[in-house]
Amino acid sequence: MLGIQQLLEKEADLEVVNTICHPARLEEEIIKHTPDVIVMDIRMKNDNGIEWTKKITETYPTCKVVILSGYDYDEYIHAAYEAGAYAFVTKENSAFELANAIRQSHLGIKSFPADRLSNYHPLLTKVELKILQFISEDRTNAEISELLNISKRTVEHHVSSILRKLDVDSRVGAVVKAMKLGILE
C-alpha cells in the first residue's frame, strides 16, 4: 500500500490522510479523519475487503469505498458492487485509473468495468420481486404490508434492499430499471 500511497500523493487534487495495514484500526481512523474515499484491498492477511466495505458503507454512508484487487474475477466485481463499493480497480490498472476512480467516487459516480456488469443484476428475493410488482401497480407500503401479511417496517426494509440492489434512488427508478433489465414486464 505504501507504493500506492506514494503514487496518489503525486496527484495534486488528492490528499492521502493515512495508510492502514491492519483493518482493526480502520474505524478509529475513519472517525479521526472522516475520509471522503477509502481505497480498500479486496484481500488482506486476516480480513476480507468485501466485508469491511459492507461495514463501512452501512456505518459511514458518506464514505465511499474503492476496491483494489489483484484479481480480475467477475465474482469479485459483483461482490464489490453488492457490498456498496463505488469502484473496482485492478492492481494492473494504472495509477491514473485508480486516481480517476477515486475522483469519480468522490463525486458519487460509480465506476465498474461496464462490460462485466452489463448482464449482471443482483438477485432479488421472491418477496422482493412480489413487492416490486406491487410497487409497479402503485401500491403503498401499507397496502403491500396487508397483502403480504407482514409489517410495514418489513416492507420498508425490503423496498430499501430493492433500491440498493438495483442501484436506484426511488420506487419509480426501481420499476424503470427492473423493466429495462427484464425483471418486470
Side-chain angles (χ1 to χ4, degrees), residues 38-173:
I38 292 175
V39 177
M40 174 78 64
D41 199 323
I42 200 166
R43 295 181 77 183
M44 297 169 271
K45 283 183 183 173
N46 298 316
D47 284 288
N48 179 323
I50 296 296
E51 292 304 316
W52 273 102
T53 299
K54 283 181 193 173
K55 188 174 186 176
I56 291 165
T57 58
E58 289 170 5
T59 311
Y60 308 97
T62 59
C63 188
K64 316 286 192 300
V65 178
V66 172
I67 291 285
L68 187 63
S69 175
Y71 306 93
D72 193 22
Y73 302 143
D74 285 348
E75 295 82 8
Y76 283 4
I77 295 168
H78 297 164
Y81 184 83
E82 281 290 311
Y86 267 72
F88 183 93
V89 180
T90 64
K91 291 178 182 176
E92 287 76 36
N93 289 111
S94 68
F96 171 79
E97 289 173 282
L98 176 58
N100 192 48
I102 292 168
R103 290 182 187 100
Q104 295 293 308
S105 297
H106 181 255
L107 295 171
I109 301 167
K110 293 197 174 202
S111 55
F112 285 82
D115 59 321
R116 308 290 281 286
L117 282 179
S118 60
N119 294 326
Y120 171 74
H121 59 81
L123 295 177
L124 298 178
T125 66
K126 288 181 182 180
V127 173
E128 289 169 344
L129 287 169
K130 281 183 186 175
I131 290 173
L132 186 58
Q133 181 62 47
F134 288 137
I135 290 170
S136 75
E137 296 168 4
D138 202 27
R139 304 269 190 167
T140 65
N141 286 353
E143 291 171 327
I144 296 169
S145 169
E146 285 183 37
L147 288 165
L148 295 178
N149 198 25
I150 57 177
S151 74
K152 188 177 169 195
R153 184 79 182 124
T154 301
V155 172
E156 291 168 358
H157 172 74
H158 284 301
V159 171
S160 294
S161 178
I162 292 166
L163 298 180
R164 180 181 47 77
K165 287 181 178 181
L166 294 178
D167 194 27
V168 294
D169 297 320
S170 68
R171 293 163 67 102
V172 171

